[in-house]
Amino acid sequence: MQEMSTLVFAFLVLFITSSEGRTRIRGNFLESDTIKATIGNSNSPSKSRRDLKSGKKDGRIDYDFGPDECLICDSVYKDSKPETLLMKFTGDFGVMSKFMDEDDSTCNTIRAEDVLAMGNDDENVYSVTVEEYGIFGNLQVGDVFQFERVGAWTKFSFPTNEENDEYISCELHTSCSAPLVAGDNHGPFQLLDNGSCLEIPDCEICDYDEKPTELVFRYRSKGETSELQMGRATCNEGIYPSSTTLNVNGQSYSVSEGTEFTVTGVDSFGADTDFGFEDGSSCSIHTSCSVPLTKNDVIGPFELLGSNRCPPTSDPQCIKATLRVDVNGNNVVDVEFDYENLDPNRNFVSNCSPSDNSCDLNTGSITDFTPLSSDWIGLYPCELSETEPFAFNVEPSTWTYTCYDEVCRENQFPAVPKGNITFDDETLPEFTKTGLYKPLEELEGCYVVLLNRIDGFSAPPYYNLCLGNTIEFPAQGNA
């Protein structure tokens, strides 16, 4: 049985003129022929659309998204509630929602014959009231209108007679406890993407049926506050030690800038995972999945890379160092590098001078990645990542050109964009053994490998092409 109600017109009526004169007004607007708002149009960012598993009171459901559908929010992603909603009036009365239950979307119950349609030369014209917002008058099929989401439910009312004193209404659950999907139809209304669709990750770290047992992190001394943790984490923005030993539920991890490590047994730690530092301080991350755990989120000094059920995505890495002991018992460092087709989305040190027009000041990176014969590789103590005004703002103690044993830039050698070299005290060229040089046998603690460009604005710093991994030299006497 349809509910009829009487409403007092206390709202501002938003009138629309003929099709030739329709225009869009920023803020409260309705549009038709002038600008067509469609799913995935050029005015909306491209979003990931795929099957998504989401928690629901009656169990887990699968969203089988079509090519023009994307998730705005649901009971899992409820922290992304939209401030405004964008609707298209389709005139398709009776259409049921594909993603909401009948209790959450009742607009399919309104029939076309129950609604007042005012005819004109072209087509029927309707009026719809959005409760607690206003009235959209002269509404035609294809018109798009936007309104502020006020509460948990949004109520739509159509007049049923010319006196405008009787109405028929329907409601839509808009609190995100039920899925709001762009492209979904609710009776004569289609929900559109106004830029609020979520970029859904490739996989889910958290699942209502299975919490992660392992989490993979990358350590960063410059911490950030995660909005996704919603205040549950105590690992927040701040400066953390450049290198330290972490204690996590009895497990120890030696970390420095860029170190990746895997914490196991997360599902047995309780709601929070605690990280203890060498200086006695500690902080925690909420890992029970009552708040999102998302790949690439930075929580304090920890960048979350993945989990046992959502493996990390490999970062573009153009240089990697491996410390080993040779047959004579000496430390040597094998370095593998490949920057023939360098990905701009790489790990690198942002150390470009604002005075140099060859740099992208937004990223702090050089813009010409063409390999040069003068490019070189250096080993730096990890703590030099904190030098000012740029990281690694000093000469390295151990370095060589990518060609290793020649002064490549003086002898007109061709560039070496890809190769392997081995830092070895027995074979390091003499031109590297000046200034701050230290042999490998004297190095101890954390070091990081960098691929640099010698032609910086000033030296040092030399402009960084790639930031590689860290290696740990044993303490003297323990080698």
Side-chain angles (χ1 to χ4, degrees):
M1 183 174 179
Q2 293 172 330
E3 176 187 358
M4 308 293 290
S5 61
T6 300
L7 298 178
V8 177
F9 270 52
F11 303 108
L12 174 66
V13 179
L14 303 180
F15 291 103
I16 302 175
T17 62
S18 66
S19 61
E20 292 82 2
R22 293 180 189 171
T23 58
R24 173 165 132 172
I25 303 171
R26 297 292 177 184
N28 303 339
F29 71 88
L30 185 148
E31 71 182 51
S32 179
D33 297 13
T34 49
I35 302 176
K36 289 291 185 182
T38 57
I39 303 295
N41 69 355
S42 60
N43 295 323
S44 299
S46 176
K47 303 295 182 180
S48 172
R49 298 175 170 90
R50 64 174 190 87
D51 292 354
L52 175 69
K53 294 180 177 179
S54 172
K56 194 77 170 171
K57 290 181 180 179
D58 57 351
R60 191 172 65 186
I61 63 173
D62 290 336
Y63 298 148
D64 184 14
F65 287 148
D68 292 332
E69 297 166 345
C70 55
L71 182 66
I72 295 175
C73 64
D74 70 353
S75 58
V76 173
Y77 295 95
K78 55 190 174 185
D79 57 311
S80 61
K81 294 179 183 178
E83 294 182 0
T84 60
L85 292 176
L86 189 65
M87 290 279 194
K88 177 194 285 186
F89 181 70
T90 64
D92 295 329
F93 291 91
V95 176
M96 295 182 61
S97 168
K98 178 180 175 182
F99 299 97
M100 281 193 183
D101 297 331
E102 290 186 18
D103 292 340
D104 295 314
S105 175
T106 66
C107 289
N108 66 293
T109 61
I110 295 181
R111 297 174 301 178
E113 57 265 32
D114 297 329
V115 174
L116 176 65
M118 299 168 285
N120 66 12
D121 295 338
D122 299 322
E123 57 184 318
N124 289 333
V125 176
Y126 299 84
S127 175
V128 62
T129 297
V130 180
E131 190 174 79
E132 297 190 44
Y133 184 77
I135 304 169
F136 295 95
N138 293 348
L139 198 64
Q140 295 183 9
V141 170
D143 285 343
V144 174
F145 60 102
Q146 178 171 276
F147 56 90
E148 293 179 4
R149 187 189 63 83
V150 177
W153 292 85
T154 298
K155 187 175 182 178
F156 304 90
S157 299
F158 290 90
T160 60
N161 59 23
E162 293 184 0
E163 289 75 23
N164 289 327
D165 58 4
E166 291 185 341
Y167 296 84
I168 188 168
S169 302
C170 66
E171 290 186 307
L172 176 63
H173 205 161
T174 51
S175 69
C176 294
S177 57
L180 282 176
V181 176
D184 195 15
N185 292 284
H186 304 272
F189 307 115
Q190 184 182 55
L191 185 60
L192 301 182
D193 175 17
N194 64 350
S196 57
C197 268
L198 297 173
E199 295 199 30
I200 304 302
D202 295 335
C203 54
E204 300 294 319
I205 291 178
C206 280
D207 188 281
Y208 276 70
D209 297 334
E210 179 186 356
K211 296 178 182 178
T213 59
E214 298 180 356
L215 292 175
V216 183
F217 295 98
R218 177 185 291 129
Y219 185 76
R220 304 160 40 137
S221 59
K222 186 177 180 180
E224 299 180 16
T225 298
S226 166
E227 293 183 1
L228 297 178
Q229 285 274 298
M230 293 185 282
R232 300 288 188 90
T234 62
C235 297
N236 290 314
E237 181 180 5
I239 302 301
Y240 291 79
S242 58
S243 60
T244 187
T245 299
L246 297 171
N247 185 285
V248 186
N249 202 38
Q251 306 171 55
S252 294
Y253 305 90
S254 295
V255 297
S256 55
E257 198 72 37
T259 299
E260 297 180 10
F261 63 101
T262 301
V263 176
T264 60
V266 176
D267 55 331
S268 64
F269 294 168
D272 298 307
T273 298
D274 296 316
F275 296 81
F277 296 83
E278 278 182 320
D279 61 4
S281 62
S282 65
C283 67
S284 65
I285 296 175
H286 197 74
T287 53
S288 70
C289 291
S290 58
V291 295
L293 289 173
T294 303
K295 286 174 71 170
N296 303 318
D297 189 26
V298 180
I299 313 169
F302 308 111
E303 180 181 2
L304 182 55
L305 302 180
S307 68
N308 55 298
R309 59 191 305 272
C310 188
T313 303
S314 298
D315 285 331
Q317 187 176 42
C318 70
I319 187 166
K320 180 179 180 180
T322 304
L323 174 66
R324 63 180 174 86
V325 178
D326 68 9
V327 293
N328 298 316
N330 299 318
N331 289 331
V332 296
V333 178
D334 297 319
V335 176
E336 178 182 1
F337 60 93
D338 182 356
Y339 66 117
E340 191 167 14
N341 297 293
L342 191 58
D343 188 338
N345 185 32
R346 70 208 189 281
N347 282 332
F348 71 97
V349 178
S350 176
N351 64 352
C352 263
S353 168
S355 305
D356 194 340
N357 58 14
S358 67
C359 296
D360 182 342
L361 299 184
N362 293 319
T363 63
S365 169
I366 60 174
T367 56
D368 184 1
F369 299 141
T370 305
L372 302 177
S373 59
S374 56
D375 294 337
W376 58 279
I377 298 167
L379 299 177
Y380 288 82
C382 294
E383 62 264 23
L384 295 183
S385 64
E386 299 180 2
T387 56
E388 297 291 345
F390 303 112
F392 303 104
N393 192 29
V394 295
E395 299 281 355
S397 58
T398 306
W399 72 280
T400 191
Y401 292 109
T402 51
C403 69
Y404 190 68
D405 55 2
E406 296 285 347
V407 184
C408 311
R409 62 176 176 156
E410 293 183 0
N411 295 341
Q412 301 302 310
F413 270 67
V416 185
K418 182 178 181 179
N420 298 273
I421 66 172
T422 297
F423 283 88
D424 186 330
D425 287 337
E426 299 297 322
T427 60
L428 267 174
E430 290 300 318
F431 64 82
T432 68
K433 299 179 180 180
T434 59
L436 300 177
Y437 165 73
K438 278 187 178 182
L440 297 178
E441 65 180 15
E442 295 182 10
L443 303 184
E444 58 181 335
C446 179
Y447 275 73
V448 61
V449 60
L450 275 72
L451 174 61
N452 289 337
R453 176 141 294 171
I454 202 169
D455 298 322
F457 187 75
S458 61
Y462 301 99
Y463 289 167
N464 181 244
L465 289 164
C466 280
L467 171 66
N469 61 306
T470 61
I471 53 178
E472 191 79 21
F473 285 90
Q476 297 299 314
N478 297 330

